Structures are given as structure tokens and as C-alpha cells.
Amino acid sequence: MAIQWTTALAVGVSDIDQQHQELFRRVNQLIEACNQGQGKQAVSEVLSFLESYVSTHFRAEEALMRKYKYPDLESHQAVHQRFVESLQPLKAKLDEEGPGLALVLQTNRLVVNWLTDHIQKMDKAVGAYIKSQS
């Protein structure tokens, strides 16, 4: 089941919204690969992409928060850090066991749930704050 980007997930900051949409596209590629029986190959690519892309994305978000003196910057950074750390066991499992079905499902669940929850709760608050300061 693909995850859909909707305007309800827009935070109102163009660069951040575009980066979120790219994350959704990549997760959907993984889901589609799983549906076609190719998830095992795709999970390695998605984990590598996430590792590099979320770092870039999080830096961009955090730079905006610093620029606008977002009051919850530290807690937001901590959530970002925990997500990055949550990718490490998946990567280790991939290195040790290869890209099995359990890892595909675990990666899907982690990324889909975290991404939608984080955008709806935390990133939308950042977007609203930035709008109020502009």
C-alpha cells in the first residue's frame, strides 16, 4: 500500500515540502518493489538513500529552525537523531543477514510510520511557527 502525499502534510515551506515529497517517492518505490517481489533488492538502495538524504534534509530543516529561532529546536533535533539511530540496526541487519522479507517489512513500517507521524506532529508546527515569524 503506497503512502500518499497530500496537502494535509504540507508544512508550508517549499524546500521542506519538496524534500518530504521526495522521501514519499522513495518509500513508494520500495513498496512497489515489494509488491513486485523485488523488495529484497530495493531495501538496500532505500536504506542507503535514507541514510544520506535524511541527513541533508534534517540539516536543512534545522537550519531553518535556527534562522527563525524556533523554540523547540533542541527537541526536534533529538527526534531527528533518534530516527537516524533507528536506521543503524536495519543497516546492521542488512549487512549480517542480507535483505530478507522481515527487513523489508521492518524498513517499510519504520519509515512510513515515522515519516507521516513526524510531519503531522512536528514539522507542521515548525511550518506554522515560520509563517508566524515571516
Side-chain angles (χ1 to χ4, degrees):
M1 175 175 76
I3 59 172
Q4 298 300 315
W5 170 263
T6 68
T7 55
L9 292 170
V11 300
V13 178
S14 180
D15 288 344
I16 301 303
D17 285 334
Q18 289 173 4
Q19 290 172 5
H20 286 163
Q21 289 174 37
E22 179 62 19
L23 286 167
F24 272 67
R25 276 191 291 279
R26 293 300 184 114
V27 170
N28 282 330
Q29 286 175 357
L30 173 61
I31 292 168
E32 182 60 28
C34 291
N35 290 339
Q36 295 178 3
Q38 301 168 352
K40 293 178 181 181
Q41 295 83 7
V43 74
S44 177
E45 294 171 19
V46 170
L47 282 175
S48 294
F49 164 79
L50 284 173
E51 193 170 40
S52 64
Y53 194 79
V54 297
S55 175
T56 300
H57 171 65
F58 290 165
R59 277 195 309 273
E61 271 190 8
E62 291 166 7
L64 273 173
M65 287 186 264
R66 277 190 293 281
K67 176 181 176 182
Y68 288 94
K69 297 177 178 24
Y70 184 64
D72 292 327
L73 171 63
E74 287 183 18
S75 64
H76 203 120
Q77 284 177 307
V79 170
H80 285 170
Q81 183 59 38
R82 283 193 300 274
F83 178 74
V84 169
E85 290 168 1
S86 73
L87 294 175
Q88 296 313 309
L90 296 175
K91 236 184 133 205
K93 188 172 184 173
L94 176 66
D95 291 342
E96 291 169 15
E97 302 173 14
L101 180 59
L103 181 61
V104 170
L105 295 174
Q106 190 177 3
T107 302
N108 254 345
R109 189 171 41 251
L110 170 73
V111 174
V112 169
N113 292 343
W114 189 90
L115 186 58
T116 55
D117 187 60
H118 181 74
I119 291 171
Q120 290 173 336
K121 292 180 180 170
M122 298 194 81
D123 288 348
K124 286 183 77 72
V126 171
Y129 180 82
I130 289 172
K131 283 181 188 176
S132 76
Q133 301 298 304
S134 299

